[in-house]
Amino acid sequence: MTVHIPVLGMPVTALLMAIAVWKKSDLLWSVGVWFLFGVTLLGGIAYLSGPAAYEVLDEWNFLPWVEGPEETKGLIEDHAAVAKGVYFTSLIPAVMALAQFIRVLGGDSWPKWMKITLPVLLILLSVGFAYTAHLGGMIRHPEIYRSAPLLDLS
């Protein structure tokens, strides 16, 4: 279930932060920053659960063979590679926000450039998480795979 948190949480966080900028609401911005920290933390848990989830599915023979074992293994490798890239990229805005949050606790304010940059980065990451979810869905749901992948990574 944790794998759904970054997929759904990142666009919600981006929207929340964008609304905070539009409405000039420091309270909404603060809530958005805390959402970002939470989504990033829970996204890490989801990322780290991937290998164990694969082992369970493989051991219990729950992996559907899309077009055969090699094809399924390729999908799993693609999903893992994209998940790794997207998750570690998601650490960038979280670390940016954390560094500034520490400064805000010391009396500084949030710079305007950061209030524009963070929602934009989160929107881009939302696309990355959605694509990661699409690749994961193709592993568990062969009917998605047969309907043509969004992007061929080979």
Side-chain angles (χ1 to χ4, degrees):
M1 290 309 289
T2 60
V3 297
H4 296 93
I5 292 169
V7 175
L8 299 172
M10 197 58 73
V12 167
T13 304
L15 181 63
L16 186 61
M17 293 179 104
I19 291 170
V21 171
W22 177 49
K23 294 287 189 177
K24 297 182 172 128
S25 171
D26 290 335
L27 176 62
L28 277 180
W29 181 262
S30 295
V31 171
V33 169
W34 282 105
F35 266 52
L36 175 58
F37 295 155
V39 167
T40 303
L41 178 65
L42 294 170
I45 293 168
Y47 171 72
L48 293 173
S49 73
Y54 169 76
E55 293 297 324
V56 168
L57 292 174
D58 190 37
E59 183 179 319
W60 292 356
N61 292 318
F62 283 164
L63 281 174
W65 300 119
V66 177
E67 297 290 334
E70 300 82 27
E71 201 62 36
T72 300
K73 186 173 168 85
L75 285 175
I76 292 167
E77 289 170 356
D78 290 348
H79 173 66
V82 172
K84 183 178 188 177
V86 172
Y87 177 68
F88 283 104
T89 302
S90 78
L91 293 176
I92 295 168
V95 169
M96 285 172 53
L98 180 61
Q100 187 60 35
F101 180 73
I102 292 168
R103 293 186 65 178
V104 167
L105 291 176
D108 287 353
S109 60
W110 289 91
K112 186 174 183 171
W113 70 266
M114 191 173 282
K115 285 192 170 187
I116 301 301
T117 304
L118 283 178
V120 170
L121 289 174
L122 299 186
I123 290 167
L124 295 172
L125 283 166
S126 296
V127 173
F129 279 119
Y131 184 64
T132 303
H134 171 72
L135 291 175
M138 289 194 326
I139 296 166
R140 286 295 293 148
H141 302 282
E143 68 278 8
I144 296 173
Y145 176 78
R146 290 186 185 90
S147 67
L150 292 174
L151 178 67
D152 185 9
L153 295 175
S154 54

